[in-house]
Amino acid sequence: MNFSLEGRTYVVMGVANKRSIAWGIARSLHEAGARLIFTYASERFEKPVKDLVSTLEGQDALFYECDVTSDEAVTATFDQIKQDVGTIHGLAHCIAFAKKEDLQGEFVDTSRDGYLLAHNISAYSLVSVSRAAQPLMSEGGGIVTLTYLGGERVVQNYNVMGVAKASLDATMKYLANDLGKHGVRVNAISAGPIRTLSAKGVGDFNTILKQIEEKAPLRRTVTQEEVGDTAYYLLSDLSRGVTGEIIHVDSGYSILGLS
Ligand code: NAD
């Protein structure tokens, strides 16, 4: 078995800063020898992402702006990637958004706008991105998205994002069924809570972290690197028989019979 990703190219979507889970994934793929392509939401992220990536020794990365709320932007991005590199071997979708006011209080108060926005960016984007990326995976490939326990069970304050994650989980499975015939596998990692820019928006996030430290079988939270290494597994041939799966990287918290 060859564990190297040398000669392979992966698109990493959603690095905002060094705390981003996408950055943990980028580092794992880089260490395995992959060439990386980064997409970011808006111009504002261009310099910080390029500065971060410059710390990856020997990485000949490419960068594209891609706001996933626009199908035109997604299509144009992957058309450009096709022109620039031809074939890609996989993609990490690490993108989510909900209004801060929808990540606290009661779910029943979620506005129509807030509900649609969270689903648009956090779930539908996987459909749009997968449709645009699949033709570039002419040698087969892997797509990985990031989900959370709040899509399977009620987690306080996670609210509309939990419902969007439930949609994302089902989206991932339907995509796995469609894209399997093209040799493309689609899977999700359900990460335990990690302090990132997005996580800051979730009300009382510190309590969620504390709960993991006290109750999870491993009695600690997980790191971006641990999620990154699981993404490496899902994007490499090691997982070639696995598709439509959700792997929990959460110190075992999801097995517990308590909330
Ligand atoms: P993050 O804030 O670092 O990453 C979220 C990314 O989404 C950012 O790069 C942001 O620019 C991008 N994004 C938002 N709107 C976008 C748009 N319209 N177009 C393109 N990109 C857009 O936070 P993170 O925690 O690393 O989040 C990455 C993924 O991991 C998300 O799906 C999140 O729900 C998931 N996740 C996070 C945790 C956690 O505790 N941090 C746990 C489980 C799952």
Side-chain angles (χ1 to χ4, degrees):
M1 173 63 66
N2 179 9
F3 294 113
S4 168
L5 296 182
E6 252 162 63
R8 296 200 183 181
T9 304
Y10 293 87
V11 179
V12 179
M13 309 184 79
V15 175
N17 57 39
K18 66 176 187 206
R19 288 177 181 266
S20 294
I21 297 178
W23 183 237
I25 294 175
R27 275 181 295 158
S28 292
L29 297 176
H30 169 75
E31 272 170 39
R35 184 180 190 198
L36 299 177
I37 294 172
F38 292 87
T39 74
Y40 45 85
S42 66
E43 212 185 322
R44 166 164 86 89
F45 292 102
E46 182 176 352
K47 187 171 181 319
V49 172
K50 285 185 172 170
D51 285 351
L52 258 186
V53 175
S54 70
T55 63
L56 298 178
E57 208 175 310
Q59 180 58 244
D60 179 24
L62 291 171
F63 301 88
Y64 304 86
E65 184 178 320
C66 182
D67 177 348
V68 296
T69 58
S70 157
D71 281 331
E72 290 72 36
V74 171
T75 307
T77 300
F78 283 90
D79 283 352
Q80 193 59 50
I81 292 174
K82 188 171 185 192
Q83 271 188 34
D84 294 345
V85 302
T87 304
I88 64 168
H89 302 88
L91 173 120
H93 170 275
C94 315
I95 292 173
F97 186 78
K99 292 182 188 175
K100 197 169 165 59
E101 66 257 35
D102 289 332
L103 297 171
Q104 57 200 357
E106 295 201 350
F107 170 69
V108 71
D109 294 324
T110 307
S111 65
R112 188 180 298 268
D113 274 1
Y115 188 97
L116 294 177
L117 179 72
H119 283 72
N120 186 11
I121 298 182
S122 317
Y124 183 75
S125 63
L126 184 65
V127 183
S128 170
V129 160
S130 298
R131 188 168 57 234
Q134 180 269 314
L136 279 67
M137 297 191 210
S138 49
E139 299 168 12
I143 296 174
V144 168
T145 189
L146 288 167
T147 187
Y148 178 58
L149 186 64
E152 298 171 63
R153 304 198 207 146
V154 174
V155 173
Q156 208 183 359
N157 291 327
Y158 204 61
N159 297 0
V160 73
M161 188 53 79
V163 180
K165 289 303 190 193
S167 169
L168 180 71
D169 294 355
T171 296
M172 178 277 292
K173 291 177 191 174
Y174 276 85
L175 288 170
N177 187 48
D178 283 351
L179 304 191
K181 57 182 172 291
H182 303 293
V184 175
R185 299 180 295 105
V186 190
N187 292 287
I189 298 172
S190 181
I194 298 176
R195 212 183 289 276
T196 62
L197 196 62
S198 293
K200 270 194 193 157
V202 180
D204 220 4
F205 189 71
N206 284 342
T207 307
I208 299 178
L209 288 174
K210 198 158 164 267
Q211 173 109 330
I212 303 291
E213 282 162 4
E214 285 172 5
K215 307 249 171 73
L218 296 181
R219 301 288 194 277
R220 62 172 180 81
T221 53
V222 294
T223 64
Q224 284 87 338
E225 288 73 21
E226 288 167 333
V227 177
D229 286 352
T230 300
Y232 157 64
Y233 158 75
L234 286 172
L235 293 172
S236 76
D237 292 345
L238 284 171
S239 61
R240 61 198 176 280
V242 180
T243 194
E245 192 65 77
I246 300 173
I247 300 185
H248 293 84
V249 180
D250 65 348
S251 297
Y253 187 75
S254 64
I255 66 167
L256 298 179
L258 42 80
S259 62

